[in-house]
Amino acid sequence: MLRILTFVVPLALWVWAFIDCLTTPEDEVKHLPKVVWVIIVLLFPLVGSIAWLVAGKQRGGARIAGGWPASGRPEHAGPRGGRPLAPDDDPEFLASLKKDDRGHEDMLRQWEADLRRRERELRGKDEPEDGSKG
């Protein structure tokens, strides 16, 4: 059992550090470029993974590039660059939805008007020419 743990734990650490390194935005990587960190973690699995965890990424509340106010906590902002956390908190996204909604409503009105016009045309063709319904 101990032999398995000595293999599985470093492997899990390496995989986690590699994925974390790949998914970390460039502005949160410290000391070296992101590509160099990826190569270090790949070529030196145990040492590179530990180095990445210790020195490679900004962690915790001290975010320099995060755009946080002087209070140290975000105000209606997400973790990166002052962007909202969710799409429904983003005013630009909500405005685009309203614009799209208006466009869809206009298209629906046009379709309904076209359908009414076609129905009138079909009803006109079905009626006899002498004007009597029968």
Side-chain angles (χ1 to χ4, degrees):
M1 181 69 175
L2 189 57
R3 289 181 186 174
I4 293 174
L5 286 178
T6 59
F7 176 73
V8 171
V9 171
L11 179 66
L13 175 68
W14 178 61
V15 169
W16 182 81
F18 180 66
I19 292 172
D20 187 45
C21 186
L22 286 176
T23 59
T24 299
E26 188 74 37
D27 61 341
E28 292 182 16
V29 177
K30 298 188 319 183
H31 304 296
L32 295 171
K34 183 176 176 178
V35 175
V36 175
W37 276 114
V38 170
I39 293 170
I40 289 172
V41 171
L42 275 176
L43 294 180
F44 308 102
L46 186 60
V47 175
S49 298
I50 293 171
W52 168 253
L53 293 175
V54 172
K57 179 180 178 182
Q58 285 180 326
R59 301 197 189 276
R63 306 195 90 161
I64 298 167
W68 288 5
S71 66
R73 67 185 154 82
E75 294 175 9
H76 306 294
R80 295 184 197 120
R83 294 181 59 197
L85 290 173
D88 58 345
D89 293 336
D90 186 358
E92 292 175 17
F93 178 75
L94 293 174
S96 72
L97 286 180
K98 288 178 184 176
K99 179 182 153 192
D100 290 345
D101 193 32
R102 276 186 246 121
H104 289 140
E105 286 177 4
D106 292 341
M107 185 172 30
L108 183 60
R109 280 189 213 103
Q110 290 174 356
W111 286 352
E112 288 174 343
D114 187 46
L115 181 62
R116 279 189 227 107
R117 180 186 55 80
R118 289 180 182 188
E119 286 177 346
R120 281 194 302 268
E121 288 175 3
L122 288 174
R123 285 187 187 131
K125 289 180 183 177
D126 289 343
E127 293 178 6
E129 291 183 17
D130 62 359
S132 63
K133 291 191 176 185

